[in-house]
Each structure stands twice: as C-alpha cells, then as structure tokens.
Amino acid sequence: MHDIRAIKSDPEAFDAAMKRRGAEYRASDLIALDEQRVANTQAMNAAQSEQKSKSKLIGQAKAKGDEEAAKAVMAEVAGLKDEVKRLEERDRELSAELREALLPIPNALAEDVPEGADEDENAELRRWGEPRRIEGARDHVDLGEALGMMDFEAAAKLSGSRFVVLKSDLAKLERALATFMLNLHTEVFGYEEVSPPVLVLSDPLVGTGQLPKFDDDLFRAGDHWLSPTAEVTLTNLVRETILSEEELPKRMTAWTQCFRAEAGSAGRDTRGMIRMHQFSKVELVSVTTPDRSDEEHERMTGCAEEVLKRLDLPFRTMLLCSGDTGFSAAKTYDLEVWLPGQGKYREISSCSNTRDFQARRMEARFRPQGEKKPSYVHTLNGSGLAVGRTMVAVLENYQQEDGSIAVPDVLKPLMGKDRIEAAR
RNA sequence: GGACAGGUGGCCGAGUGGUCGAAGGCGCUCCCCUGCUAAGGGAGUAGGCGGUUUGUCCCGUCUCGAGGGUUCGAAUCCCUUCCUGUCCGCCA
C-alpha cells in the first residue's frame, strides 16, 4: 500500500510510478480524497475538544455540589452530541474510503527494473550449468507414468484436473527434496523453520496483497481461504507488531501445500505437473530494515540458486521487466530451470522484494535504534524452491535411457538408493 | 457443540460512571550516590490521526480485544462479536 503522505508530497513521482506499471491511478484523485478526510478530522477534533472540556466542567461543578451550574453546562453541551457523532461517522467513512482506494494500487517498481511488456522482455542476468541435450528426451509425464509412480487419472477421479497422485519412490522423492531444501535453508543459511496453517482468514491475504484484487486466484473454504503460498502466513507473522531492530533480519522458511485456482490459465500447461491446483513448496521469507532489503534480496536469491546448484540442475536467473513484475513486488528475480523434456527454461522460483508495500498493509514495523517513532519493515519472499517443479526438473534432467532416474548425489542419503526404477 | 471465567500500557496488575491514557510493581533508558558487587535516590518510558515545526519541541483528538448502544461524561453499565483459559462432549 502506498503512503498517502508520500503521494501528497510528490504527486509527480506517484504518477510516474503508475505510468511504468501501466496503471490508471492518479495522485490528484487520492489527494482530493485525503483532503476531505483531513478537513473532516480537524472539524471532528474541534468538536470533540469542546465536548470534552465542557463535560469536565460538569464533573467539577457536581463535585462542588453546584447542581445549578452543572445543569447549565449540560444544556449547553447537549447539542454537540449529534455533531460529534456525525463527524466521527464521517471520519470512519473517509478513512475506509481512502484505504479502499489505496489497496488495489500496485507497488512502485524499483529503479533498476527494466521496461517491458511481458515475460519476453525479462532480462537474463546469469546462467549456471550446461543445458543437457538428451537424445530422445522424454518429459516427466512419460517418465513418471512409465515408472508407475505418477498418476493423473487417479488424481482426476479424486479431485478433477490439475492434480496428481505420486506413489512409491516419487512420493518419497517429493519428501526428500523438501527435506533437503529445508535442511539447507535452516542449517546453512540460518532460516527458522516454521509449520504454519494453510487455511487463512482474509486479513493476512490483504496484508500480502492477494486480496482484495485477486480473489479469483484463490480457493475458498467457508470463512477461510486456502493459502496460495506460505508467503502469506510467514510474512503475516509480523503483522501488527513492532519489532526491535536487533530482531532483524528475521528469516523464516516453511514447507507447505499451496492451493491456486488458476482461473486465468485455462489451457496452459495442461499436461503434467507444472501447473497444479495443489502443490508443495518450500518458501523463504525475510523481514529486514529498509536499508538492508536490497542486499537481503540478493542473498535470498542466492539461497534459492544454491538449491539448484547442489542438485546440479542447470538454470538461469532473470530480472523481471516492468510488465511481468507482480502486484506487490518492487523487484523480482525468477530462477528458471532447464527442462530437457520441453527443451526450455521454466520458472522454478520467484524471489521478490516488496519493500514496505506489504508492511504498510500489515502494519508491520520496527523501532530504529535511537528513534522514537517506529518505521515500516521491508518484507521479501522467495521460493526455495517449488518442490513439484523441482521434481519435474530432476526427472527430466536425470533420466536414463532405460527410463530409470538417477538420484542426485545430495538426495541419495534421503532416498536410500541411487536410482529410481520401475518395480519389476 | 455445552457450561463457567477472563481479555487493561513491553510484562504483571489495580481500577464498577466524573478531571483515568489509566495506581502500584517489574523490565528498560538517563542522572545522582557508591572502593568492587549488591543496594539506594531522582527523572523518563505506548500507538494512531491531525496541526505546528522541520527547533522532533509543543498542541488537539482517538485508542483499556473489536464494533455498536445508554449518558452531559464510559476502562467502568447494556448489546453484539472475536479471542484466550478451565471443565464436559468429540476427535487426529
């Protein structure tokens, strides 16, 4: 959420930021709304002040036993009551209106985000590893089904399209991958492991930016929503809190199931495990001070990259362009892993710095050392990694001519074997 | 789901209609005292909004889980709601 005071003090900057986003919002509209609010607030305060001081006079008169004087002031102040109530009501309305006006506005982009319309204009920053050209490469669906361990038909019977049933060594592989990632992030990179709920109320989703605008992407369960990512829960752990500066940076990781309606992606990635309604992901979240969030962003991206490096999966790191950067993010790096079955790089991680955008929505603050007033924290989130897609990448990159899958070195202890092959 | 009991400042905890943003204690910060340690004395110590000023010092107002009501006036009375605790039921 944008800071109305910042918009007021530099409307041109806001309008320019919206232009980069291709969004319609105008500083002048918001300022007009806020000016109404401020004028009303001042009138309200004046009326409250008068009512309060006169009520005190009544108390004083009564204390002295001067009923006459008390009655006189009571008559005087009686008329103020409705006025105060009216102004308070209006104040609530105008404050809510302003918040509702600000909530759908996307975050301002970081200065170094390249201009571009869509994902084709993202900037490739670096590559790691050599894309494997496997003769007659099969995709993960062929491989998984041939192994008898990946069953889309069974999943459809249970839950419809965009679900999968994994069995035997592939079920175990999912668990091994998640364990490997969590161990790396907690033991090497110092993230605290968290096991959060996956059903959440609306407020946390407003906090991270999924609501009010993107409810079509979410599944609903009664009063709850199914969380589309652990970013929601991990980030909202600091909602409405004031942290001390020593507590920062706060780094958290969680392995959770994620649920997405995929409303806008009918027909896309219909084959295989790339785009599911339910998938598991190891998430990384950092809460930092504003001056350190840029370096934390680099660090977090490095943590996600390290997973791919240790799994020896070729990837490239992309800086998303203006048109492809998500609503809440100021800047986003995507990691794209090489998939021999598709012959291209596919997104496997997305690491974003939202700066104070989510913090404002959540009222997540910290007290800078030596400062009286609290400031908003910066929040960052990244996948480290999407487990389902990582499995896809392992299957396709480690496939053998006979259809078996070599187990990556780092997973061998967790899998208890060095090859996944069909039961005979 | 049923029955009770609660939700007050960083923490504990007092406060059942009148000058209460709120006693007291703890913690923390600063100062004084002190040979060290310990103890003692003094001052300070929430957040939002707005104004003023950019001398961050002052002023107004709101906030005692949340929302509404009664009243000239509510932490205190009434209603609704959320949450927590305990017991029962149920259950992984």
PDB file of all heavy atoms in Angstrom, chain A residues 115-141:
ATOM      1  N   GLU A 115      12.205  -1.817 -18.432  1.00  0.00           N
ATOM      2  CA  GLU A 115      10.899  -1.629 -19.053  1.00  0.00           C
ATOM      3  C   GLU A 115      10.608  -2.809 -19.960  1.00  0.00           C
ATOM      4  O   GLU A 115      11.500  -3.343 -20.609  1.00  0.00           O
ATOM      5  CB  GLU A 115      10.888  -0.349 -19.897  1.00  0.00           C
ATOM      6  CG  GLU A 115      11.153   0.921 -19.109  1.00  0.00           C
ATOM      7  CD  GLU A 115      10.184   1.145 -17.971  1.00  0.00           C
ATOM      8  OE1 GLU A 115       8.979   0.883 -18.148  1.00  0.00           O
ATOM      9  OE2 GLU A 115      10.637   1.550 -16.878  1.00  0.00           O
ATOM     10  N   GLY A 116       9.350  -3.229 -20.008  1.00  0.00           N
ATOM     11  CA  GLY A 116       8.990  -4.311 -20.890  1.00  0.00           C
ATOM     12  C   GLY A 116       7.538  -4.678 -20.710  1.00  0.00           C
ATOM     13  O   GLY A 116       6.942  -4.385 -19.677  1.00  0.00           O
ATOM     14  N   ALA A 117       6.972  -5.297 -21.745  1.00  0.00           N
ATOM     15  CA  ALA A 117       5.543  -5.575 -21.729  1.00  0.00           C
ATOM     16  C   ALA A 117       5.230  -6.883 -21.019  1.00  0.00           C
ATOM     17  O   ALA A 117       4.279  -6.965 -20.250  1.00  0.00           O
ATOM     18  CB  ALA A 117       5.010  -5.629 -23.157  1.00  0.00           C
ATOM     19  N   ASP A 118       6.017  -7.914 -21.271  1.00  0.00           N
ATOM     20  CA  ASP A 118       5.701  -9.225 -20.712  1.00  0.00           C
ATOM     21  C   ASP A 118       6.980 -10.030 -20.512  1.00  0.00           C
ATOM     22  O   ASP A 118       8.082  -9.505 -20.650  1.00  0.00           O
ATOM     23  CB  ASP A 118       4.726  -9.967 -21.632  1.00  0.00           C
ATOM     24  CG  ASP A 118       5.253 -10.037 -23.053  1.00  0.00           C
ATOM     25  OD1 ASP A 118       6.478 -10.213 -23.226  1.00  0.00           O
ATOM     26  OD2 ASP A 118       4.443  -9.890 -23.995  1.00  0.00           O
ATOM     27  N   GLU A 119       6.810 -11.312 -20.241  1.00  0.00           N
ATOM     28  CA  GLU A 119       7.939 -12.140 -19.852  1.00  0.00           C
ATOM     29  C   GLU A 119       9.022 -12.231 -20.930  1.00  0.00           C
ATOM     30  O   GLU A 119      10.176 -12.548 -20.627  1.00  0.00           O
ATOM     31  CB  GLU A 119       7.456 -13.541 -19.479  1.00  0.00           C
ATOM     32  CG  GLU A 119       6.751 -14.259 -20.623  1.00  0.00           C
ATOM     33  CD  GLU A 119       6.198 -15.629 -20.198  1.00  0.00           C
ATOM     34  OE1 GLU A 119       5.979 -15.813 -18.987  1.00  0.00           O
ATOM     35  OE2 GLU A 119       5.996 -16.465 -21.080  1.00  0.00           O
ATOM     36  N   ASP A 120       8.661 -11.940 -22.167  1.00  0.00           N
ATOM     37  CA  ASP A 120       9.669 -11.996 -23.225  1.00  0.00           C
ATOM     38  C   ASP A 120      10.717 -10.904 -23.067  1.00  0.00           C
ATOM     39  O   ASP A 120      11.780 -10.973 -23.679  1.00  0.00           O
ATOM     40  CB  ASP A 120       8.997 -11.854 -24.605  1.00  0.00           C
ATOM     41  CG  ASP A 120       8.084 -13.041 -24.900  1.00  0.00           C
ATOM     42  OD1 ASP A 120       8.357 -14.139 -24.366  1.00  0.00           O
ATOM     43  OD2 ASP A 120       7.089 -12.861 -25.631  1.00  0.00           O
ATOM     44  N   GLU A 121      10.412  -9.902 -22.271  1.00  0.00           N
ATOM     45  CA  GLU A 121      11.355  -8.798 -22.119  1.00  0.00           C
ATOM     46  C   GLU A 121      12.054  -8.798 -20.763  1.00  0.00           C
ATOM     47  O   GLU A 121      12.658  -7.805 -20.375  1.00  0.00           O
ATOM     48  CB  GLU A 121      10.631  -7.470 -22.378  1.00  0.00           C
ATOM     49  CG  GLU A 121      10.093  -7.390 -23.803  1.00  0.00           C
ATOM     50  CD  GLU A 121       9.461  -6.052 -24.136  1.00  0.00           C
ATOM     51  OE1 GLU A 121      10.203  -5.050 -24.184  1.00  0.00           O
ATOM     52  OE2 GLU A 121       8.233  -6.007 -24.333  1.00  0.00           O
ATOM     53  N   ASN A 122      11.970  -9.915 -20.069  1.00  0.00           N
ATOM     54  CA  ASN A 122      12.736 -10.048 -18.844  1.00  0.00           C
ATOM     55  C   ASN A 122      14.223 -10.101 -19.178  1.00  0.00           C
ATOM     56  O   ASN A 122      14.606 -10.545 -20.260  1.00  0.00           O
ATOM     57  CB  ASN A 122      12.337 -11.329 -18.094  1.00  0.00           C
ATOM     58  CG  ASN A 122      10.908 -11.259 -17.581  1.00  0.00           C
ATOM     59  OD1 ASN A 122      10.349 -10.174 -17.435  1.00  0.00           O
ATOM     60  ND2 ASN A 122      10.311 -12.412 -17.318  1.00  0.00           N
ATOM     61  N   ALA A 123      15.044  -9.645 -18.253  1.00  0.00           N
ATOM     62  CA  ALA A 123      16.484  -9.596 -18.507  1.00  0.00           C
ATOM     63  C   ALA A 123      17.174 -10.818 -17.901  1.00  0.00           C
ATOM     64  O   ALA A 123      16.998 -11.109 -16.717  1.00  0.00           O
ATOM     65  CB  ALA A 123      17.072  -8.318 -17.918  1.00  0.00           C
ATOM     66  N   GLU A 124      17.946 -11.517 -18.744  1.00  0.00           N
ATOM     67  CA  GLU A 124      18.703 -12.652 -18.223  1.00  0.00           C
ATOM     68  C   GLU A 124      19.969 -12.122 -17.578  1.00  0.00           C
ATOM     69  O   GLU A 124      20.775 -11.450 -18.212  1.00  0.00           O
ATOM     70  CB  GLU A 124      19.034 -13.633 -19.346  1.00  0.00           C
ATOM     71  CG  GLU A 124      19.788 -14.841 -18.843  1.00  0.00           C
ATOM     72  CD  GLU A 124      20.048 -15.860 -19.947  1.00  0.00           C
ATOM     73  OE1 GLU A 124      19.130 -16.120 -20.751  1.00  0.00           O
ATOM     74  OE2 GLU A 124      21.181 -16.371 -20.005  1.00  0.00           O
ATOM     75  N   LEU A 125      20.156 -12.434 -16.298  1.00  0.00           N
ATOM     76  CA  LEU A 125      21.318 -11.915 -15.579  1.00  0.00           C
ATOM     77  C   LEU A 125      22.485 -12.884 -15.617  1.00  0.00           C
ATOM     78  O   LEU A 125      23.635 -12.486 -15.735  1.00  0.00           O
ATOM     79  CB  LEU A 125      20.945 -11.656 -14.112  1.00  0.00           C
ATOM     80  CG  LEU A 125      19.853 -10.628 -13.853  1.00  0.00           C
ATOM     81  CD1 LEU A 125      19.646 -10.451 -12.360  1.00  0.00           C
ATOM     82  CD2 LEU A 125      20.198  -9.289 -14.499  1.00  0.00           C
ATOM     83  N   ARG A 126      22.205 -14.176 -15.473  1.00  0.00           N
ATOM     84  CA  ARG A 126      23.299 -15.154 -15.445  1.00  0.00           C
ATOM     85  C   ARG A 126      22.753 -16.546 -15.677  1.00  0.00           C
ATOM     86  O   ARG A 126      21.559 -16.793 -15.489  1.00  0.00           O
ATOM     87  CB  ARG A 126      24.035 -15.097 -14.100  1.00  0.00           C
ATOM     88  CG  ARG A 126      23.132 -15.197 -12.895  1.00  0.00           C
ATOM     89  CD  ARG A 126      23.880 -14.966 -11.582  1.00  0.00           C
ATOM     90  NE  ARG A 126      22.948 -14.914 -10.444  1.00  0.00           N
ATOM     91  CZ  ARG A 126      22.433 -13.794  -9.965  1.00  0.00           C
ATOM     92  NH1 ARG A 126      22.757 -12.621 -10.500  1.00  0.00           N
ATOM     93  NH2 ARG A 126      21.591 -13.827  -8.956  1.00  0.00           N
ATOM     94  N   ARG A 127      23.672 -17.420 -16.098  1.00  0.00           N
ATOM     95  CA  ARG A 127      23.310 -18.828 -16.262  1.00  0.00           C
ATOM     96  C   ARG A 127      24.242 -19.671 -15.433  1.00  0.00           C
ATOM     97  O   ARG A 127      25.401 -19.303 -15.216  1.00  0.00           O
ATOM     98  CB  ARG A 127      23.473 -19.262 -17.728  1.00  0.00           C
ATOM     99  CG  ARG A 127      22.403 -18.714 -18.618  1.00  0.00           C
ATOM    100  CD  ARG A 127      22.511 -19.316 -20.001  1.00  0.00           C
ATOM    101  NE  ARG A 127      21.516 -18.659 -20.860  1.00  0.00           N
ATOM    102  CZ  ARG A 127      20.910 -19.255 -21.874  1.00  0.00           C
ATOM    103  NH1 ARG A 127      21.208 -20.510 -22.181  1.00  0.00           N
ATOM    104  NH2 ARG A 127      20.018 -18.607 -22.593  1.00  0.00           N
ATOM    105  N   TRP A 128      23.758 -20.796 -15.019  1.00  0.00           N
ATOM    106  CA  TRP A 128      24.601 -21.734 -14.283  1.00  0.00           C
ATOM    107  C   TRP A 128      24.358 -23.125 -14.858  1.00  0.00           C
ATOM    108  O   TRP A 128      23.208 -23.515 -15.080  1.00  0.00           O
ATOM    109  CB  TRP A 128      24.257 -21.714 -12.798  1.00  0.00           C
ATOM    110  CG  TRP A 128      25.181 -22.562 -11.952  1.00  0.00           C
ATOM    111  CD1 TRP A 128      26.320 -22.163 -11.327  1.00  0.00           C
ATOM    112  CD2 TRP A 128      25.028 -23.960 -11.672  1.00  0.00           C
ATOM    113  NE1 TRP A 128      26.898 -23.223 -10.675  1.00  0.00           N
ATOM    114  CE2 TRP A 128      26.134 -24.335 -10.866  1.00  0.00           C
ATOM    115  CE3 TRP A 128      24.086 -24.932 -12.035  1.00  0.00           C
ATOM    116  CZ2 TRP A 128      26.315 -25.655 -10.413  1.00  0.00           C
ATOM    117  CZ3 TRP A 128      24.269 -26.234 -11.576  1.00  0.00           C
ATOM    118  CH2 TRP A 128      25.380 -26.580 -10.769  1.00  0.00           C
ATOM    119  N   GLY A 129      25.411 -23.853 -15.100  1.00  0.00           N
ATOM    120  CA  GLY A 129      25.287 -25.217 -15.610  1.00  0.00           C
ATOM    121  C   GLY A 129      25.065 -25.245 -17.116  1.00  0.00           C
ATOM    122  O   GLY A 129      24.743 -24.232 -17.731  1.00  0.00           O
ATOM    123  N   GLU A 130      25.228 -26.403 -17.652  1.00  0.00           N
ATOM    124  CA  GLU A 130      25.127 -26.594 -19.104  1.00  0.00           C
ATOM    125  C   GLU A 130      23.815 -27.318 -19.405  1.00  0.00           C
ATOM    126  O   GLU A 130      23.602 -28.426 -18.930  1.00  0.00           O
ATOM    127  CB  GLU A 130      26.318 -27.447 -19.562  1.00  0.00           C
ATOM    128  CG  GLU A 130      26.644 -27.335 -21.027  1.00  0.00           C
ATOM    129  CD  GLU A 130      26.845 -25.885 -21.478  1.00  0.00           C
ATOM    130  OE1 GLU A 130      27.540 -25.119 -20.757  1.00  0.00           O
ATOM    131  OE2 GLU A 130      26.301 -25.547 -22.545  1.00  0.00           O
ATOM    132  N   PRO A 131      22.904 -26.687 -20.173  1.00  0.00           N
ATOM    133  CA  PRO A 131      21.656 -27.384 -20.521  1.00  0.00           C
ATOM    134  C   PRO A 131      21.966 -28.720 -21.188  1.00  0.00           C
ATOM    135  O   PRO A 131      22.769 -28.771 -22.122  1.00  0.00           O
ATOM    136  CB  PRO A 131      20.980 -26.430 -21.498  1.00  0.00           C
ATOM    137  CG  PRO A 131      21.533 -25.098 -21.169  1.00  0.00           C
ATOM    138  CD  PRO A 131      22.940 -25.332 -20.716  1.00  0.00           C
ATOM    139  N   ARG A 132      21.371 -29.769 -20.694  1.00  0.00           N
ATOM    140  CA  ARG A 132      21.661 -31.098 -21.245  1.00  0.00           C
ATOM    141  C   ARG A 132      20.795 -31.327 -22.480  1.00  0.00           C
ATOM    142  O   ARG A 132      19.583 -31.170 -22.443  1.00  0.00           O
ATOM    143  CB  ARG A 132      21.364 -32.177 -20.202  1.00  0.00           C
ATOM    144  CG  ARG A 132      22.195 -32.017 -18.955  1.00  0.00           C
ATOM    145  CD  ARG A 132      21.983 -33.195 -18.010  1.00  0.00           C
ATOM    146  NE  ARG A 132      22.813 -33.006 -16.813  1.00  0.00           N
ATOM    147  CZ  ARG A 132      22.345 -32.504 -15.665  1.00  0.00           C
ATOM    148  NH1 ARG A 132      21.084 -32.169 -15.550  1.00  0.00           N
ATOM    149  NH2 ARG A 132      23.151 -32.339 -14.626  1.00  0.00           N
ATOM    150  N   ARG A 133      21.460 -31.715 -23.557  1.00  0.00           N
ATOM    151  CA  ARG A 133      20.719 -32.116 -24.745  1.00  0.00           C
ATOM    152  C   ARG A 133      20.657 -33.630 -24.708  1.00  0.00           C
ATOM    153  O   ARG A 133      21.626 -34.306 -25.013  1.00  0.00           O
ATOM    154  CB  ARG A 133      21.430 -31.649 -26.017  1.00  0.00           C
ATOM    155  CG  ARG A 133      21.501 -30.143 -26.175  1.00  0.00           C
ATOM    156  CD  ARG A 133      20.139 -29.554 -26.545  1.00  0.00           C
ATOM    157  NE  ARG A 133      20.180 -28.076 -26.523  1.00  0.00           N
ATOM    158  CZ  ARG A 133      19.087 -27.322 -26.608  1.00  0.00           C
ATOM    159  NH1 ARG A 133      17.895 -27.885 -26.700  1.00  0.00           N
ATOM    160  NH2 ARG A 133      19.194 -26.015 -26.593  1.00  0.00           N
ATOM    161  N   ILE A 134      19.536 -34.134 -24.267  1.00  0.00           N
ATOM    162  CA  ILE A 134      19.418 -35.579 -24.138  1.00  0.00           C
ATOM    163  C   ILE A 134      18.736 -36.128 -25.385  1.00  0.00           C
ATOM    164  O   ILE A 134      17.641 -35.680 -25.739  1.00  0.00           O
ATOM    165  CB  ILE A 134      18.621 -35.943 -22.874  1.00  0.00           C
ATOM    166  CG1 ILE A 134      19.347 -35.402 -21.637  1.00  0.00           C
ATOM    167  CG2 ILE A 134      18.422 -37.459 -22.779  1.00  0.00           C
ATOM    168  CD1 ILE A 134      18.540 -35.525 -20.355  1.00  0.00           C
ATOM    169  N   GLU A 135      19.391 -37.049 -26.008  1.00  0.00           N
ATOM    170  CA  GLU A 135      18.826 -37.645 -27.221  1.00  0.00           C
ATOM    171  C   GLU A 135      17.516 -38.346 -26.892  1.00  0.00           C
ATOM    172  O   GLU A 135      17.468 -39.162 -25.973  1.00  0.00           O
ATOM    173  CB  GLU A 135      19.845 -38.653 -27.802  1.00  0.00           C
ATOM    174  CG  GLU A 135      19.653 -38.926 -29.276  1.00  0.00           C
ATOM    175  CD  GLU A 135      19.738 -37.649 -30.139  1.00  0.00           C
ATOM    176  OE1 GLU A 135      20.575 -36.756 -29.804  1.00  0.00           O
ATOM    177  OE2 GLU A 135      18.974 -37.532 -31.107  1.00  0.00           O
ATOM    178  N   GLY A 136      16.462 -37.978 -27.625  1.00  0.00           N
ATOM    179  CA  GLY A 136      15.161 -38.602 -27.367  1.00  0.00           C
ATOM    180  C   GLY A 136      14.647 -38.357 -25.974  1.00  0.00           C
ATOM    181  O   GLY A 136      14.032 -39.237 -25.360  1.00  0.00           O
ATOM    182  N   ALA A 137      14.879 -37.134 -25.473  1.00  0.00           N
ATOM    183  CA  ALA A 137      14.467 -36.823 -24.102  1.00  0.00           C
ATOM    184  C   ALA A 137      12.961 -37.013 -23.928  1.00  0.00           C
ATOM    185  O   ALA A 137      12.175 -36.605 -24.779  1.00  0.00           O
ATOM    186  CB  ALA A 137      14.865 -35.394 -23.770  1.00  0.00           C
ATOM    187  N   ARG A 138      12.571 -37.609 -22.824  1.00  0.00           N
ATOM    188  CA  ARG A 138      11.146 -37.777 -22.514  1.00  0.00           C
ATOM    189  C   ARG A 138      10.787 -36.743 -21.455  1.00  0.00           C
ATOM    190  O   ARG A 138      11.634 -36.308 -20.684  1.00  0.00           O
ATOM    191  CB  ARG A 138      10.901 -39.188 -21.995  1.00  0.00           C
ATOM    192  CG  ARG A 138      11.346 -40.237 -22.996  1.00  0.00           C
ATOM    193  CD  ARG A 138      11.567 -41.582 -22.312  1.00  0.00           C
ATOM    194  NE  ARG A 138      10.284 -42.199 -21.912  1.00  0.00           N
ATOM    195  CZ  ARG A 138      10.202 -43.376 -21.302  1.00  0.00           C
ATOM    196  NH1 ARG A 138      11.315 -44.064 -21.016  1.00  0.00           N
ATOM    197  NH2 ARG A 138       9.024 -43.897 -20.983  1.00  0.00           N
ATOM    198  N   ASP A 139       9.533 -36.375 -21.420  1.00  0.00           N
ATOM    199  CA  ASP A 139       9.154 -35.418 -20.382  1.00  0.00           C
ATOM    200  C   ASP A 139       8.755 -36.162 -19.106  1.00  0.00           C
ATOM    201  O   ASP A 139       8.660 -37.394 -19.089  1.00  0.00           O
ATOM    202  CB  ASP A 139       8.076 -34.447 -20.880  1.00  0.00           C
ATOM    203  CG  ASP A 139       6.682 -35.058 -20.903  1.00  0.00           C
ATOM    204  OD1 ASP A 139       6.535 -36.245 -20.568  1.00  0.00           O
ATOM    205  OD2 ASP A 139       5.735 -34.333 -21.265  1.00  0.00           O
ATOM    206  N   HIS A 140       8.545 -35.409 -18.044  1.00  0.00           N
ATOM    207  CA  HIS A 140       8.349 -36.037 -16.744  1.00  0.00           C
ATOM    208  C   HIS A 140       7.082 -36.885 -16.677  1.00  0.00           C
ATOM    209  O   HIS A 140       7.001 -37.826 -15.897  1.00  0.00           O
ATOM    210  CB  HIS A 140       8.316 -34.962 -15.644  1.00  0.00           C
ATOM    211  CG  HIS A 140       7.119 -34.051 -15.715  1.00  0.00           C
ATOM    212  ND1 HIS A 140       7.031 -33.010 -16.616  1.00  0.00           N
ATOM    213  CD2 HIS A 140       5.948 -34.040 -15.018  1.00  0.00           C
ATOM    214  CE1 HIS A 140       5.865 -32.388 -16.447  1.00  0.00           C
ATOM    215  NE2 HIS A 140       5.189 -32.993 -15.484  1.00  0.00           N
ATOM    216  N   VAL A 141       6.089 -36.548 -17.513  1.00  0.00           N
ATOM    217  CA  VAL A 141       4.859 -37.329 -17.511  1.00  0.00           C
ATOM    218  C   VAL A 141       5.134 -38.741 -18.040  1.00  0.00           C
ATOM    219  O   VAL A 141       4.763 -39.741 -17.415  1.00  0.00           O
ATOM    220  CB  VAL A 141       3.771 -36.644 -18.369  1.00  0.00           C
ATOM    221  CG1 VAL A 141       2.487 -37.459 -18.346  1.00  0.00           C
ATOM    222  CG2 VAL A 141       3.512 -35.230 -17.851  1.00  0.00           C
TER     223      VAL A 141
END
